[in-house]
Amino acid sequence: MSEATDRRRFVATLTGIGVAGLAGLAAASGVGPQPGSPQDQPPLERLCRLPWPYREQDAGAAAQRAFATYPRGGCMLAVFDPIVRTAAERLGAPYTAFPFGMFTYGAGGVAGWGTPCGALNGAAAAFSLLSPQPTGLISALFAWYEREALPEAPPAGLRYPNVPAVAGSVLCHASIAAWCRASGKRSNSPERAERCGALSGSVAAKAVTLLNAQATRTLVVPAPDQATAACLGCHGAQGNLGNVAGRMTCAPCHTPSEFAASGHPKV
């Protein structure tokens, strides 16, 4: 479904909701009809209430749909759309009117800026809609992405050989650079474009696996790796220097040679 169609359906749904939706929002804020009244939870209130109801999904199906979605909107849409659209289709209106196409902005690490990987950005957005506690899911996904050789389970339909690579970072820039080193291909090659579609499939599958684990109370959030934990012991918010905010792995950017040149103490 196109971005324009998504937008039209969303606007039409909001228009159809009208006064009933506004009354529902008033009830949610403690003004007007209260829960239990005939006007309890009209469509607009259901759409805006987080999290949306979630039922377990099939991780393999999410991966394949993400790979198929990638060419029409990039990596962020490719991960967000199959996960959230599956939930929306189960729930029906008004959830199906959500403007999914808005997430094309995340392609290439946000409009090509190479910042957070769009696949991770799309998964984090899906977690925020579908999970009562998205932070743990985001941490588990981001830590996995840094450490795993991806794409790990290539979807059906690849035209080129799958070349896994460890990004060592959650940044699009670093992830693509690591893959280019491993594959010998350029960042603007058709092989790289297909790789990012396959990567989106891997991230979508992992995101669904984490959502399912949280729903069944089996989620485990990994601790930071030892080297990063040691760095944050000094540089993190609770350290004596306190000049770093973040949880990303330090090593890809801050190398031993850099430490030696700057006189950084050995750790």
Side-chain angles (χ1 to χ4, degrees), residues 6 29 39 94 109 115 147 173 255:
D6 280 339
S29 64
Q39 295 182 359
T115 51
R147 304 168 191 178
H173 160 74
T255 62

Side-chain angles (χ1 to χ4, degrees), residues 79-166:
V79 174
F80 180 88
D81 189 288
I83 298 172
V84 177
R85 193 180 293 276
T86 296
E89 288 171 351
R90 288 174 173 177
L91 294 167
Y95 301 96
T96 49
F98 188 88
F100 298 91
M102 67 180 286
F103 290 105
T104 56
Y105 81 84
V110 183
W113 276 77
T115 51
C117 170
L120 293 178
N121 209 348
F127 291 158
S128 296
L129 268 181
L130 301 176
S131 168
Q133 296 177 311
T135 301
L137 296 174
I138 294 170
S139 292
L141 182 70
F142 280 34
W144 165 85
Y145 183 96
E146 284 186 325
R147 304 168 191 178
E148 293 295 318
L150 301 173
E152 62 178 5
L158 288 182
R159 296 177 298 159
Y160 305 105
N162 182 55
V163 181
V166 177

Side-chain angles (χ1 to χ4, degrees), residues 42-100:
L44 181 56
E45 185 181 344
R46 293 202 308 273
L47 183 66
C48 296
R49 188 181 294 276
L50 300 180
W52 293 4
Y54 177 78
R55 294 200 336 252
E56 291 183 57
Q57 297 185 17
D58 183 284
Q64 200 63 46
R65 289 182 68 178
F67 180 65
T69 301
Y70 177 84
R72 68 177 178 85
C75 45
M76 185 176 184
L77 180 72
V79 174
F80 180 88
D81 189 288
I83 298 172
V84 177
R85 193 180 293 276
T86 296
E89 288 171 351
R90 288 174 173 177
L91 294 167
Y95 301 96
T96 49
F98 188 88
F100 298 91

Side-chain angles (χ1 to χ4, degrees), residues 126-239:
F127 291 158
S128 296
L129 268 181
L130 301 176
S131 168
Q133 296 177 311
T135 301
L137 296 174
I138 294 170
S139 292
L141 182 70
F142 280 34
W144 165 85
Y145 183 96
E146 284 186 325
R147 304 168 191 178
E148 293 295 318
L150 301 173
E152 62 178 5
L158 288 182
R159 296 177 298 159
Y160 305 105
N162 182 55
V163 181
V166 177
S169 171
V170 297
L171 299 179
C172 168
H173 160 74
S175 178
I176 289 179
W179 181 84
C180 288
R181 287 193 297 270
S183 67
K185 303 295 181 181
R186 296 175 62 89
S187 64
N188 63 347
S189 65
E191 291 91 343
R192 199 280 307 157
E194 185 178 80
R195 170 264 183 187
C196 285
L199 176 74
S200 298
S202 293
V203 172
K206 183 64 174 182
V208 165
T209 299
L210 292 171
L211 278 165
N212 292 346
Q214 187 177 71
T216 57
R217 302 182 184 279
T218 57
L219 176 67
V220 177
V221 179
D225 66 86
Q226 292 184 348
T228 300
C231 292
L232 294 177
C234 290
H235 292 278
Q238 305 304 317

